[in-house]
Amino acid sequence: MGFARACSVALVGVDGVVVEVQADLEPGVAAFTLVGLPDKTLVESRDRVRAAVVNSGAAWPQKKLTVGLSPASVPKSGAGFDLAVAAAVLGAAEVIDPAAIADLVLIGELGLDGRVRPVRGILPAVLAAAEAGHRHVVVPQQCAAEAALVPDVSVLGVRSLRQLIAVLTDGPVPEEEPDGPPGRPDPMAAGLMVPGAALGTGLAPGRTGADCTDFPDLADVTGQHTARRALEVAAAGGHHLFLSGPPGAGKTMMAERLPWILPPLTRQDSVEVTAVHSVAGILPPGEPLVSRPPYCAPHHSATMQSLVGGGTGIPRPGAVSLAHRGVLFLDEAAEFHSRALDALRQPLESGHVVIARAAGVVRLPARFLMVLAANPCPCGRHTLAGAGCECPPSVIRRYQARLSGPLLDRVDLRVEVEPVTRGDLLGQGGRGEPTAAVAERVRDARERAGARLAGTPWRLNSQVPGPELRSRWRTAPGALAPAERELERGLLTARGLDRVLRVAWTVADLRGKDRPETHDVCVALELRTGIARGALSVPGTGP
């Protein structure tokens, strides 16, 4: 009779649970039983592990073998348990010392020839192991850099089961050459990227590094002074933005440039974003850490499940989670299904999404900056003088009503994008500010807000509750009078007043002021309601 145990990690969303893999050998007819709520992929590991052990030069025990995955109540899926199962079986057969693997966390898929293949979700799995007190993990060699992002954890990267056996038995470690011709991608890493999953996420290789210089420049946008200021306010305070205007006015251009005026991610934010992208299978090869804010732009035919997350079995991250700490751009927003858009209301407020399915409940991060872009009518020419819009008023009302009032009430900035004039298009109005200049002001404004909010649960003005702004951080005397009048007239809701106050603080931060003044509140009102008040047209006083 032989017994051994090792550890692995089961992922539920982006959260991990350490699983103890126990192997028991008893006299009897040779059989391999796997228990502990495994899914179909994990059940198939019996054949993968047996072939991998034999082809690695070790003898397979000809006894009754039972492998248990504990806790049995946690659903377990994927091929990442193969390495731990193989180690536990070899420990029970006394090929390796059972004490050497008792507290060792092993994650990886095994090929039939004994090679260790990389799996998705390495970073959140190692984070879960570290939180459970484990300090030694074994992962595929291709994922070692990702696992090494977790501090105070010793990471061993192996390319084959033979190498692992040699390390645990103090034998000579065999060299495993990478597969494929030199200069070509490692075919073993093919399982890390889900085909089609990275479409619209803005995480193309070579554009995620902190020192990247290949990015779209805001100076390419001609005209649109009000919309550009709204873009700057949105980036500085984390405010959601709605751009409405005719086709070809530059709405998509501005949205695509928004991530590049946002500051680089902090170390903690980078780990959060990388964990989500690792689970989703869109982490770029050779980029173990995402350092730039992500950009996700799903097509307007996207379903509610693809936006907020879901799928069969354990729910997987959706667009709102892939845009965590970055930008979620919904182009042609009025063409999205109304149920899909309304599903965004809860994560817009809470910064996370909770998905309940029969297989379990998953909580996924979803703290993103949303940008909506839409035409004023089906033909897009409703706001253009003399453009010949033939859409009946009832059709225009129905089209605009596809964006519900509760959803738009959560959007701080609403801007009418005007058509580009001939002078702006031909460069007669001068080239606009480049991305670097705007990004510097955004960084300074965020630092000013961060210093004010130090010691609180909030980091951006858009996250501060209204009661705190009204009581703890007050505006200049009489500065809120214009917003109070709009509230009495019914043009602002109570939530709208709080959001105007948040935007006013961001405008004040961009201007270097200690607290909002009447001008800052008027700018916030103009950006919130879309009604021109002259605040944005005064030279030198805008944000």
Side-chain angles (χ1 to χ4, degrees), residues 221-223 225 421-433:
V221 180
T222 58
H225 304 292
T421 64
R422 183 179 59 133
D424 289 331
L425 191 61
L426 298 179
Q428 298 175 7
R431 187 175 173 87
E433 283 187 297

Side-chain angles (χ1 to χ4, degrees), residues 470-485:
R470 293 193 296 268
S471 60
R472 187 169 178 179
W473 294 287
R474 296 182 176 274
T475 63
L480 269 182
E484 293 171 354
R485 288 194 297 267

Side-chain angles (χ1 to χ4, degrees), residues 123-491:
L123 179 57
V126 178
L127 283 171
E131 292 176 358
H134 295 272
R135 292 294 175 261
H136 302 279
V137 299
V138 178
V139 298
Q141 180 65 47
Q142 296 90 335
C143 302
E146 182 181 346
L149 297 174
V150 182
D152 302 326
V153 172
S154 175
V155 177
L156 172 62
V158 295
R159 298 191 68 93
S160 68
L161 183 59
R162 289 181 291 271
Q163 288 185 338
L164 177 62
I165 295 174
V167 170
L168 295 177
T169 58
D170 294 327
V173 179
E175 292 290 337
E176 297 287 351
E177 296 296 331
D179 295 325
R184 297 181 62 179
D186 188 356
M188 295 292 289
L192 293 178
M193 293 287 290
V194 177
L199 295 178
T201 60
L203 288 177
R207 296 182 57 179
T208 58
D211 57 348
C212 173
T213 58
D214 179 22
F215 58 85
D217 197 342
L218 195 59
D220 298 334
V221 180
T222 58
Q224 307 300 354
H225 304 292
T226 300
R228 288 170 61 99
R229 287 183 174 181
L231 207 68
E232 184 175 339
V233 173
H239 306 285
H240 305 303
L241 173 64
F242 175 40
L243 300 173
S244 176
K251 302 186 294 294
T252 303
M253 284 184 66
M254 288 184 285
E256 290 175 345
R257 284 149 178 78
L258 178 56
W260 301 101
I261 65 176
L262 295 174
L265 299 175
T266 64
R267 176 73 178 190
Q268 180 181 354
D269 292 345
S270 293
V271 171
E272 292 179 3
V273 173
T274 303
V276 175
H277 291 183
S278 178
V279 170
I282 62 173
L283 196 62
E287 297 280 350
L289 185 66
V290 179
S291 57
R292 293 294 312 178
Y295 173 79
C296 190
H299 191 260
H300 61 257
S301 61
T303 63
M304 182 174 65
Q305 288 76 15
S306 67
L307 284 180
V308 299
T312 58
I314 300 295
R316 300 187 65 82
V320 296
S321 297
L322 299 180
H324 180 59
R325 302 298 182 188
V327 177
L328 175 66
F329 177 46
L330 303 182
D331 200 4
E332 303 294 346
E335 301 294 341
F336 280 79
H337 196 283
S338 58
R339 290 183 64 247
L341 290 177
D342 287 337
L344 302 176
R345 287 152 54 178
Q346 184 262 341
L348 284 174
E349 290 287 339
S350 62
H352 63 267
V353 58
V354 178
I355 307 171
R357 296 290 186 270
V361 179
V362 173
R363 184 181 187 272
L364 299 169
R367 180 72 67 183
F368 56 91
L369 196 164
M370 183 180 69
V371 179
L372 301 173
N375 297 326
C377 68
C379 75
R381 301 190 298 268
H382 175 59
T383 57
L384 299 178
C389 175
E390 299 179 354
C391 299
S394 59
V395 173
I396 296 175
R397 285 195 300 270
R398 285 197 299 269
Y399 186 80
Q400 295 178 350
R402 293 181 182 180
L403 300 177
S404 66
L407 175 65
L408 290 181
D409 199 36
R410 291 167 167 83
V411 178
D412 298 351
L413 311 174
R414 308 174 191 175
V415 178
E416 291 287 339
V417 181
E418 300 294 334
V420 180
T421 64
R422 183 179 59 133
D424 289 331
L425 191 61
L426 298 179
Q428 298 175 7
R431 187 175 173 87
E433 283 187 297
T435 296
V438 180
E440 183 177 358
R441 289 200 300 271
V442 168
R443 184 186 66 249
D444 294 341
R446 286 204 173 196
E447 290 177 354
R448 196 171 289 112
R452 181 174 63 252
L453 299 175
T456 70
W458 315 291
R459 298 164 49 185
L460 299 173
N461 292 324
S462 61
Q463 302 170 1
V464 184
E468 293 288 338
L469 288 176
R470 293 193 296 268
S471 60
R472 187 169 178 179
W473 294 287
R474 296 182 176 274
T475 63
L480 269 182
E484 293 171 354
R485 288 194 297 267
E486 299 299 328
L487 180 65
E488 292 175 355
R489 294 170 57 188
L491 296 181

Side-chain angles (χ1 to χ4, degrees), residues 61-99:
Q62 298 300 316
K63 295 182 179 180
K64 181 181 179 182
L65 171 62
T66 303
V67 174
L69 308 175
S70 178
S73 59
V74 177
K76 304 163 190 72
S77 61
F81 292 88
D82 289 1
L83 200 58
V85 171
V89 171
L90 293 175
E94 297 183 351
V95 175
I96 58 179
D97 184 5

